[in-house]
């Protein structure tokens, strides 16, 4: 290798490359953004002008790995697979065969075993995934440590594409306002099972192994049992049934993402290196845009659905479906404008500032500082974020009165 070879330049600055000729560094990569102390094993390809890798990260220990435009903090292990346009915070990890696509955020000590597929997914600290998992369009929180973590069992699927060909299907497993405080009971999604999005799962909830769950599950509830026998009915392309739960879950998910963005801009900014901070905010903006886009696509399908309902025999049930579907289509612009306007909304700044004042008194790593907060301070932070989620949700639903009606 010559002195100008990027592999040699990385070796000269202290990057560990046991077999340099087995590693590919694309010409657009800024070598100044790869820190000394990074280890890159044979069969790896580093690409993307945005790629940023901090010391202690190990890439490709279990197999070939491709890194493309990712931001990677300290002590991360990406053992093999493909990783694109995502952010990995301290000590996150993924096993061989991973397929991590755009807009994934793995916070501290979160990770998965081999052959895990993620896209548009956020794993908050300690969340652990087994093997052979597809978990796209989710946010997962819960747990207090690596020994007390939310778990998704092996061979689990989040079903995020409907027969009507839409992806307005994000699932909130835990939540942001309580989840960020690292004090909630872990969530368990048992192996060989699945979750049909969009769904909201509470802290301490358990879905037993082998179950395919559809719906919402409150805190501390157990769902178990298989399918209750095959059933059959006519399938009419383009015609949706009751969309109220779907729309409410989507708006609640977006509100949580917006609150999470405020958490990063206000609280996490005290701890994150500026490059990682900017990348995380950019990622959250993309995640919010994606969810609004997918919900808009659903809204635009409503005229065809209404047409299908009107062509069938009318009933009291179909009449309320028609009213809601018509309302969603007609009011979509106002809903979208509300969600967009709320991107910079900080909620009750008095409550926020009281929380941040206490947070800033502590020194040390992020996880330890959060775990050391007293209950009163945690309650203040959760109150701030909960209020923010409620304000965003109420504003988005204001143009949709039939979705808040009890009928």
């Amino acid at each position: 290798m010559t002195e100008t070879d990027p592999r040699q330049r990385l070796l000269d600055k202290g990057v560990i490359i046991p077999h340099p000729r087995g590693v590919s560094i694309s010409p657009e990569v800024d070598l100044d953004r790869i820190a000394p102390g990074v280890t890159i094993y044979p069969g790896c390809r580093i690409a993307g002008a945005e790629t940023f890798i901090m010391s202690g990260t190990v890439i490709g220990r279990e197999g070939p790995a491709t890194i493309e435009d990712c931001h990677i903090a300290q002590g991360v292990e990406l053992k093999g697979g493909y990783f694109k346009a995502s952010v990995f915070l301290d000590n996150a990890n993924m096993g061989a065969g991973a397929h991590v696509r755009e807009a994934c955020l793995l916070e501290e000590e979160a990770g998965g075993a081999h052959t895990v597929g993620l896209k548009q997914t956020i794993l908050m600290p300690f969340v652990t995934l087994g093997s052979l998992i597809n978990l796209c369009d989710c946010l997962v929180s819960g747990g207090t440590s690596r020994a007390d973590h939310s778990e998704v069992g092996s061979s689990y699927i989040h079903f995020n594409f409907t027969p009507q060909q839409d992806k307005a299907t994000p699932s909130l497993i835990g939540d942001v306002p309580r989840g960020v405080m690292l004090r909630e009971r872990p969530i368990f999604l048992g192996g060989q099972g699945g979750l049909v999005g969009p769904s909201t799962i509470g802290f301490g909830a358990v879905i037993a192994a082998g179950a395919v769950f559809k719906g919402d599950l409150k805190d501390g509830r157990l769902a178990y049992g298989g399918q209750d026998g095959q059933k059959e009915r006519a399938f009419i392309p383009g015609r949706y049934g009751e969309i109220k739960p779907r729309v409410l879950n989507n708006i609640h998910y977006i509100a949580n993402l917006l609150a999470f963005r405020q958490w990063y801009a206000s609280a996490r900014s005290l701890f994150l290196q500026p490059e990682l901070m900017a990348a995380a905010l950019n990622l959250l903006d993309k995640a919010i845009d994606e969810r609004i886009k997918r919900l808009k696509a659903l809204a635009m399908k409503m005229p065809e659905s209404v047409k299908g309902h009107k062509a069938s025999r009318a009933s009291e049930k179909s009449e309320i479906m028609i009213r809601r579907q018509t309302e969603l289509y007609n009011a979509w612009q106002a809903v979208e404008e509300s969600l967009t306007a709320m991107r910079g909304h900080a909620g009750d700044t008095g409550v926020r500032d009281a929380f941040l004042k206490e947070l800033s008194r502590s020194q040390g790593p992020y996880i330890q500082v959060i775990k050391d907060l007293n209950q009163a301070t945690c309650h203040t932070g959760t109150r701030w974020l909960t209020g923010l989620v409620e304000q965003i949700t109420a504003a988005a639903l204001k143009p949709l009165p039939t979705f808040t009606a009890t009928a």
Side-chain angles (χ1 to χ4, degrees):
M1 292 185 300
T2 65
E3 292 182 359
T4 59
D5 189 305
R7 296 166 296 184
Q8 186 60 55
R9 291 173 60 191
L10 289 175
L11 286 167
D12 291 343
K13 69 183 288 188
V15 175
I16 303 163
I17 310 177
H19 300 282
R21 293 189 183 280
V23 171
S24 172
I25 309 295
S26 296
E28 75 278 5
V29 174
D30 184 347
L31 302 184
D32 291 334
R33 293 166 67 86
I34 301 177
V38 171
T39 300
I40 307 174
Y41 282 98
C44 292
R45 181 174 72 93
I46 311 299
E50 293 298 313
T51 291
F52 176 85
I53 309 175
M54 295 181 69
S55 181
T57 287
V58 178
I59 299 171
R61 185 192 297 275
E62 296 180 351
T66 295
I67 309 296
E68 186 175 337
D69 285 323
C70 288
H71 289 73
I72 304 171
Q74 295 181 343
V76 173
E77 283 201 65
L78 303 179
K79 299 174 184 178
Y82 178 70
F83 307 89
K84 181 178 181 181
S86 292
V87 175
F88 303 85
L89 299 186
D90 290 355
N91 302 310
N93 67 89
M94 290 295 288
H99 194 234
V100 180
R101 290 177 284 168
E102 293 89 341
C104 290
L105 170 60
L106 275 67
E107 293 199 302
E108 287 84 354
E109 302 183 38
H114 69 80
T115 326
V116 171
L118 303 176
K119 177 177 64 66
Q120 294 283 341
T121 289
I122 295 169
L123 305 182
M124 292 173 67
F126 317 127
V127 172
T128 300
L129 312 180
S131 302
L132 302 168
I133 285 172
N134 188 305
L135 201 73
C136 299
D137 300 321
C138 295
L139 184 150
V140 190
S141 61
T144 62
S145 69
R146 284 293 303 137
D148 180 47
H149 58 266
S150 286
E151 170 93 11
V152 180
S154 294
S155 300
Y156 205 85
I157 298 175
H158 177 246
F159 297 100
N160 67 327
F161 188 73
T162 75
Q164 303 290 11
Q165 302 186 11
D166 77 81
K167 297 187 77 173
T169 52
S171 287
L172 191 63
I173 303 164
D175 65 35
V176 168
R178 292 184 291 164
V180 295
M181 298 304 167
L182 308 182
R183 283 162 169 76
E184 296 300 323
R185 292 168 58 194
I187 296 163
F188 183 85
L189 307 182
Q192 292 283 335
L195 181 64
V196 180
S199 182
T200 299
I201 307 297
F203 290 110
V206 173
I207 299 178
V212 175
F213 184 81
K214 182 178 182 180
D216 299 333
L217 194 61
K218 294 183 178 180
D219 287 11
R221 301 292 293 174
L222 166 65
Y224 61 95
Q227 301 300 305
D228 56 353
Q230 291 186 347
K231 297 178 181 179
E232 182 179 317
R233 67 178 183 182
F235 174 72
I236 303 175
R239 192 178 81 177
Y240 283 79
E242 177 56 83
I243 62 167
K244 178 178 176 179
R246 178 184 296 262
V247 172
L248 294 179
N249 276 348
N250 270 268
I251 289 174
H252 188 54
Y253 191 94
I254 295 168
N256 270 263
L257 286 182
L258 288 165
F260 203 38
R261 191 188 189 285
Q262 286 298 320
W263 174 257
Y264 264 78
S266 301
R268 294 235 48 171
S269 60
L270 302 175
F271 302 91
L272 275 184
Q273 195 266 5
E275 186 72 33
L276 291 173
M277 184 67 209
L281 287 175
N282 182 55
L283 183 150
L284 289 170
D285 281 333
K286 290 180 178 178
I288 293 162
D289 290 342
E290 173 74 6
R291 297 275 57 93
I292 293 174
K293 180 181 81 171
R294 297 297 186 179
L295 186 54
K296 178 179 181 178
L298 174 68
M300 296 302 103
K301 288 173 175 276
M302 292 302 100
E304 182 181 356
S305 179
V306 168
K307 183 180 178 181
H309 277 287
K310 289 182 176 179
S312 63
R313 294 183 64 183
S315 68
E316 184 178 346
K317 186 176 181 181
S318 64
E319 284 301 317
I320 185 60
M321 289 181 186
I322 289 172
R323 287 202 298 273
R324 286 195 177 116
Q325 291 176 15
T326 302
E327 184 176 83
L328 178 63
Y329 177 76
N330 290 336
W332 172 252
Q333 184 175 348
V335 174
E336 184 174 12
E337 288 173 354
S338 174
L339 292 170
T340 301
M342 283 291 186
R343 192 174 307 237
H345 183 58
D348 188 326
T349 55
V351 178
R352 179 201 64 185
D353 292 347
F355 170 75
L356 293 177
K357 181 179 179 180
E358 293 301 318
L359 183 66
S360 64
R361 295 180 189 274
S362 301
Q363 300 293 324
Y366 171 75
I367 293 291
Q368 193 58 53
V369 168
I370 296 298
K371 289 173 73 70
D372 286 346
L373 293 174
N374 61 47
Q375 282 299 114
T377 300
C378 288
H379 177 73
T380 300
T382 296
R383 184 158 61 92
W384 161 48
L385 294 171
T386 299
L388 182 54
V389 168
E390 291 173 349
Q391 291 166 18
I392 294 166
T393 300
L397 288 175
K398 189 173 181 180
L400 301 172
T402 68
F403 287 80
T404 55
T406 55

